[in-house]
């Protein structure tokens, strides 16, 4: 998804503009083979959302993995609630390597976390999280990430007031 500054690619709800709301659809998931520090079924975190294990494994031994380009992209109204579980994220990166281009990406009005990165060696540049209900930037499972020139804009009317909702959440394993 390689947009331009004047013509960004927009992933959004298929509902009419006047009735769009956070959680209208899931979100974007990129899985690759860069190292993570999670043992066992690498895709276990995604299995919480009732996804097929054979289609959601990630992690490996390739820090230079290339999952393509997300550039000048806007992700709106993502974060669909999964029955019996949590919400999808605006953008989930699992085991994504440093040859992947992720820059000028904005996640807005997400019912889950805007960005969640599990493992990998990813570089993120010029990211924006606008009025997420969950965590703006969440990192886990040994992620090696460089994030530059990025920002989170929160709203007391939209962002959750629970202690679990925060701008930046960093863990190394669970």
């Amino acid at each position: 998804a390689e947009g331009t500054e004047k013509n960004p690619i927009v992933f959004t709800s298929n509902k009419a503009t006047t009735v769009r709301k956070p959680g209208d659809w899931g979100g974007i998931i990129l899985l690759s083979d860069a190292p993570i520090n999670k043992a066992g079924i690498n895709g276990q975190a995604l299995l919480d959302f009732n996804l097929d294990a054979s289609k959601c494994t990630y992690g490996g031994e390739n820090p230079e993995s290339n999952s393509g380009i997300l550039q000048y992209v806007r992700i709106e109204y993502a974060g669909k609630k999964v029955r019996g579980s949590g919400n999808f994220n605006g953008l989930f990166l699992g085991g994504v390597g440093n040859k992947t281009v992720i820059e000028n990406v904005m996640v807005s009005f997400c019912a889950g976390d805007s960005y969640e990165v599990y493992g990998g060696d990813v570089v993120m540049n010029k990211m924006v999280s606008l009025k997420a209900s969950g965590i703006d930037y969440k990192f886990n499972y040994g992620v090696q990430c460089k994030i530059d020139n990025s920002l989170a804009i929160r709203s007391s009317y939209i962002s959750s007031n629970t202690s679990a909702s925060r701008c930046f959440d960093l863990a190394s394993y669970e």
Side-chain angles (χ1 to χ4, degrees):
E2 189 172 0
T4 66
E5 185 175 359
K6 292 185 180 182
N7 291 306
I9 295 172
V10 180
F11 294 90
T12 190
S13 170
N14 63 356
K15 295 184 179 176
T17 304
T18 56
V19 295
R20 291 179 183 167
K21 65 184 184 326
D24 277 349
W25 65 287
I28 295 176
I29 299 172
L30 288 180
L31 304 176
S32 195
D33 61 347
I36 65 172
N37 71 354
K38 184 170 176 58
I41 299 173
N42 294 339
Q44 186 65 47
L46 295 174
L47 295 178
D48 295 341
F49 299 113
N50 300 317
L51 299 175
D52 181 350
S54 67
K55 296 178 181 170
C56 59
T57 58
Y58 58 93
E61 298 185 18
N62 183 10
E64 295 182 347
S65 172
N66 185 343
S67 297
I69 298 172
L70 275 179
Q71 186 174 47
Y72 290 105
V73 168
R74 212 166 58 234
I75 303 165
E76 305 173 332
Y77 305 104
K80 186 172 185 72
K81 176 83 171 146
V82 179
R83 189 178 344 179
S85 192
N87 295 69
F88 280 102
N89 304 300
L91 178 60
F92 179 88
L93 305 173
V96 173
N98 59 33
K99 296 298 182 192
T100 304
V101 175
I102 300 178
E103 61 184 26
N104 295 297
V105 176
M106 177 179 191
V107 175
S108 54
F109 307 107
C110 184
D113 301 335
S114 285
Y115 300 95
E116 190 160 13
V117 186
Y118 279 12
D121 189 11
V122 67
V123 177
M124 301 167 72
N125 190 27
K126 299 178 185 163
M127 314 298 284
V128 175
S129 172
L130 175 64
K131 298 183 179 180
S133 296
I135 298 167
D136 294 293
Y137 298 93
K138 185 175 183 179
F139 302 93
N140 203 347
Y141 298 116
V143 64
Q144 302 294 308
C145 181
K146 180 177 181 185
I147 182 168
D148 286 324
N149 303 311
S150 298
L151 114 109
I153 301 169
R154 300 186 59 77
S155 168
S156 58
Y157 298 107
I158 295 172
S159 300
S160 172
N161 60 3
T162 68
S163 63
S165 180
R166 43 183 75 100
C167 177
F168 196 85
D169 185 311
L170 178 63
S172 67
Y173 184 79
E174 296 288 323

